[in-house]
Amino acid sequence: GTATRLDATTWNVIRKVALPAIDMNNPHNMWTDRSQRLIYQTEWFDSKLTVFERETGKFVRRVSVGDAPSHVMTRTDTDDVHVALNGEEGPQSVVELSPGANSVQRRVDIGRGHPHAHWMSADGKTMVTPNAFTADSSIFDFPSNHTTSIVPTGAIAIATGMMPDSSKYYVSNFLDSTITVIQTQTGNVLGTINL
């Protein structure tokens, strides 16, 4: 597996991050730290999060996080790293790592298993997860440290995206070709977009 760096003005490939220096098993999603010095790369068909330098591609570390780490994002307020474990069945299926992904700090209880492409609010206080096998989405509040809502969605909730003001978020439902629109603060479903 490789991670590819492109020049966004020419679309030319600048670098491939891969073997022999870094051996990734199905790199699926990546994110950067607050300073944009590090890249966090999930390995979906494994149990690892790989960290490498953004500018040089130099390997930094590889951390065991849990089964099928699908997506990774950081909190804007703390720079903590959060990885959704798509292969984990229990409710503690998001893992939190320290900034730089030096170590696992805890498992976050989202009330469901099998989250995929989660999203973090712009202020770092809220995380939303699409829970692929239970057709719903969890809203986790960091200040109170608990899940505030589990909201019904469509079949195979696979990805989320949030408005910049965190007022609402969207869940992409893979099997029924819909997007569920949810009010972030209350968990109320505002509508369903049929694709």
Side-chain angles (χ1 to χ4, degrees):
T2 65
T4 305
R5 180 178 176 185
L6 299 172
D7 180 325
T9 58
T10 65
W11 295 105
N12 291 327
V13 173
I14 296 171
R15 175 181 298 112
K16 288 281 194 181
V17 176
L19 287 170
I22 303 175
D23 181 18
M24 293 180 284
N25 188 354
N26 191 9
H28 183 69
N29 175 253
M30 63 176 59
W31 197 257
T32 186
D33 66 334
R34 190 169 21 208
S35 67
Q36 298 187 8
R37 188 179 69 80
L38 300 173
I39 296 291
Y40 305 116
Q41 175 72 68
T42 61
E43 296 184 46
W44 195 18
F45 292 173
D46 209 311
S47 60
K48 307 288 191 290
L49 178 72
T50 295
V51 184
F52 58 90
E53 292 178 357
R54 183 179 67 87
E55 284 295 325
T56 66
K58 181 182 173 192
F59 176 78
V60 175
R61 71 184 55 85
R62 196 167 181 225
V63 183
S64 289
V65 291
D67 291 338
S70 55
H71 284 244
V72 57
M73 282 188 89
T74 56
R75 284 179 61 179
T76 57
D77 56 345
T78 64
D79 214 24
D80 287 343
V81 182
H82 290 86
V83 179
L85 302 175
N86 195 212
E88 296 280 330
E89 210 164 303
Q92 293 184 323
S93 48
V94 173
V95 67
E96 179 181 88
L97 296 95
S98 59
N102 289 302
S103 62
V104 173
Q105 296 183 141
R106 66 178 176 144
R107 286 180 166 254
V108 178
D109 187 345
I110 60 166
R112 291 285 194 264
H114 306 288
H116 193 80
H118 63 299
W119 200 264
M120 311 297 279
S121 63
D123 63 4
K125 306 294 186 220
T126 307
M127 173 176 60
V128 295
T129 65
N131 306 320
F133 298 154
T134 51
D136 54 30
S137 173
S138 299
I139 302 173
F140 186 85
D141 179 70
F142 284 101
S144 65
N145 197 35
H146 79 280
T147 298
T148 59
S149 298
I150 296 177
V151 184
T153 63
I156 309 289
I158 196 87
T160 54
M162 190 179 290
M163 294 294 291
D165 66 359
S166 306
S167 60
K168 58 186 170 182
Y169 72 100
Y170 302 83
V171 180
S172 176
N173 305 304
F174 184 65
L175 284 187
D176 61 2
S177 298
T178 63
I179 297 173
T180 306
V181 184
I182 301 168
Q183 188 175 39
T184 309
Q185 188 174 19
T186 65
N188 291 335
V189 175
L190 300 175
T192 301
I193 301 168
N194 189 338
L195 300 175

